[in-house]
Amino acid sequence: GLGMAGAGLVFAVGGQVVGSWMLAASKPVHAYAEAGRTAGGRRRTAADDIADDEAERAEMRGLLSSAGVCLLLLVCLATNAFSGALETLLPLWYDSLGQPGRSGFVISVWSIGSILGVIGFSRFQPSTRRIALPRQLVLFSAVYLAVSLSLALYSSHAALSVAAFAIGCFVSPCTNLHYQLSGALAPKQRHGEMFSWVNTATSAGLSLGSFAIGLIVEGGSFLQAFLFPSVFLVVALALAATLMAWARRRGRGVA
């Protein structure tokens, strides 16, 4: 029979297939595809595409030439640096206690919180008419920072598990807003490139956090190691506030 690793691989691939099918069958995707096929009740032509290109030519400069885009990518990098640090720190902490199996439990609780967080945020996200996306990012980043300080209770396994669950719940809105803002800031024909930049910032952040926490654990105490990741969220919050100010100056609610 399949071992645990093999079963996990089958489950992961199966989940990807089902998720891709559900996404392709969703109403927003169908509506977007239909809009691309028709224009004013008729089938789109090459001339329509050329007209769209001309209308957006001024916005088609390199995405990284936009201060708003760069700020968003830095927010994404800093936020994910926190996650990278925590993913590395938890196994190191429990290994030092001689209880390596417990790290897997806490990381699983963190993941469950993340799943519930994205479901809840998708259901209850504030309307962008009331709170623009940049402001939402500032608010949720501030809450995420506050929740992250619960890591100071790391000496208790139960408290650390609760903290990990709460952290998972509040990272999901931030991640969701990163992608919403990336779609709002980039021209529609550059969304693929923009999402690639966001994924790159995510990977870089995870690597940076993991590297930084490794250095701290080697050269300091675990108290410092558990408090340090929140510094990344302080940086993310400051950058998110700067992004919000930029959007206001440009007269763009980015809603």
Side-chain angles (χ1 to χ4, degrees), residues 59-128:
E59 299 184 44
M60 294 293 282
R61 298 189 300 271
L63 289 175
L64 298 185
S65 66
S66 167
V69 169
C70 291
L71 284 169
L72 176 61
L73 293 177
L74 289 173
V75 171
C76 184
L77 187 149
T79 303
N80 283 282
F82 174 87
S83 297
L86 193 56
E87 286 177 355
T88 302
L89 178 57
L90 289 173
L92 290 174
W93 165 242
Y94 281 106
D95 187 64
S96 73
L97 299 178
Q99 301 171 335
R102 284 194 167 189
S103 66
F105 173 81
V106 177
I107 291 175
S108 296
V109 169
W110 180 15
S111 299
I112 293 171
S114 180
I115 293 170
L116 295 178
V118 75
I119 293 173
F121 184 71
S122 298
R123 176 67 177 82
F124 299 108
Q125 180 184 6
S127 168
T128 55

